[in-house]
Amino acid sequence: MASSSINNRKPSEIFKAQAQLYKHMYAHIDSMSLKWSIEMNIPNIIHNHGKPISLSNLVSILQIPSSKIDNVQRLMRYLAHNGIFEIIKNQELENEEDQEEEAYALTIVSELLVKGSELCLAPMVECALDPTFSSSFHKFKKWIYEEDLTLFGVNLGSDLWEFLNENPKYNTMFNDAMASDSKMINLALKDCDFVFEGLESIVDVGGGNGTTAKIICDKFPKLKCIVFDRPKVVENLSQSGNLTYVDGDMFTYVPKADAVLLKWILHDWTSKDCIRILKKCKEAVTSDGKRGKVIVIDMVINEKKEDKQLTEIKLLMNVSISCLNGKERTEKEWKKLFIEAGFQDYKISPCTELLSLIEIFP
């Protein structure tokens, strides 16, 4: 029997491989540490403190038992190492008594976790890391042998949308998460006026509580906006100004308009379902002899042109979205969908660091 190739490796190579393996093995601590910081309200505590907060002040506010102070310090040091917080050196502190211990400041990352701020992604983190949802990823092996079930279906006993309809608590959590992410679009739209020029009406399919639509309405007050989503999502929402809410099923029909917006929708679905959705959108923007367009805000994976870290995040999210049997796509894969749905042309523009804006033309 031939000897294993590992026996032919240099010890230094094996030890380096072991370190890499352990890094991945403990990677869940990254997200659990992040979750802990939000549960403990640490970003808000530092923000309200108005300056870097010393370890002693932090544990005092949190009322941490003395036996666990060292554990708080370990977690904060690890989060700082990962760029969530910043450790301020002793000489940077004003009070002599504080100079004997380290202090922690917000970074641009943890500024996005301050609850009550205009741009807060804490609800997104809380939803993604809620045990009801995140425990699904322990079922990868069982799911991979199931023909049609989603990962959520294996773990929750139903697909995500059915689960949300039947569980108001999680429906609210999910919609709050999507709304927090939608606020990031406000920044992106500053450079995307060209997308909405000449439009009189737009339908935001799967628009949730209307966060994105409200941003568009404020920026383009003459544009009629319709938020189209599941009945459980929009049933208690009321129209205001040029914003209205309509309930329905995007697989059945989409309200007529000059344009249809699909923000982070198509990545939730299989290619077959995406084609069905896009065909309904095409019907909506080509009725009455019009030739409107569909606007997709979603990821486009481009390993050749992106830096390694950005591609890594997109590939990671591509695995994550498998919980819905969805997919993050390359431009080639997007193009195939558009053609099969009956569209003639498309244009890709940058939107955010992760997302692209794709205009699709019938």
Side-chain angles (χ1 to χ4, degrees), residues 124-313:
M124 193 74 172
V125 177
E126 291 171 323
C127 181
L129 299 183
D130 183 273
T132 301
F133 297 132
S134 61
S135 61
S136 299
F137 295 99
H138 287 280
K139 305 291 179 65
F140 265 146
K141 180 181 177 181
K142 182 177 180 180
W143 162 73
I144 211 72
Y145 286 105
E146 295 286 348
E147 185 69 30
D148 298 313
L149 278 180
T150 66
L151 185 57
F152 277 156
V154 170
N155 190 49
L156 301 176
S158 64
D159 69 35
L160 176 64
W161 316 114
E162 184 180 338
F163 176 81
L164 294 177
N165 282 336
E166 296 175 356
N167 294 271
K169 171 188 171 183
Y170 291 103
N171 190 52
T172 299
M173 177 189 294
F174 179 83
N175 288 326
D176 287 346
M178 294 302 102
S180 71
D181 180 76
S182 291
K183 289 183 178 180
M184 302 296 289
I185 297 299
N186 194 17
L187 294 176
L189 290 179
K190 290 180 179 179
D191 299 318
C192 295
D193 289 10
F194 65 92
V195 177
F196 304 96
E197 289 176 356
L199 299 179
E200 295 181 0
S201 59
I202 187 170
V203 178
D204 184 2
V205 174
N209 62 13
T211 300
T212 298
K214 290 173 184 175
I215 293 168
I216 295 172
C217 284
D218 290 342
K219 196 168 182 62
F220 307 95
K222 294 182 179 180
L223 181 61
K224 179 184 177 183
C225 295
I226 300 172
V227 173
F228 183 65
D229 213 317
R230 295 173 291 120
K232 288 287 185 181
V233 175
V234 301
E235 61 184 356
N236 295 318
L237 302 174
S238 56
Q239 66 180 56
S240 60
N242 55 332
L243 175 63
T244 57
Y245 294 88
V246 176
D247 66 73
D249 180 0
M250 63 186 173
F251 290 102
T252 304
Y253 86 104
V254 172
K256 298 177 182 180
D258 293 338
V260 170
L261 174 64
L262 294 164
K263 174 194 168 290
W264 238 14
I265 299 296
L266 295 180
H267 79 148
D268 289 341
W269 301 94
T270 63
S271 295
K272 182 179 178 181
D273 284 333
C274 284
I275 292 170
R276 290 174 60 199
I277 295 168
L278 286 168
K279 283 183 176 180
K280 292 301 177 183
C281 293
K282 182 173 179 285
E283 290 176 8
V285 300
T286 56
S287 62
D288 303 325
K290 293 182 178 180
R291 292 187 63 82
K293 63 182 176 181
V294 177
I295 304 165
V296 173
I297 298 179
D298 228 312
M299 284 191 192
V300 178
I301 299 175
N302 191 338
E303 296 185 55
K304 293 182 179 179
K305 294 184 179 180
E306 296 169 345
D307 65 64
K308 183 178 179 181
Q309 185 179 23
L310 183 57
T311 297
E312 182 179 351
I313 295 171

Side-chain angles (χ1 to χ4, degrees), residues 51-68:
K51 60 181 180 180
I53 190 168
S54 64
L55 176 64
S56 59
N57 278 341
L58 180 61
V59 297
S60 175
I61 292 172
L62 293 173
Q63 299 182 329
I64 300 296
S66 58
S67 61
K68 295 296 176 67

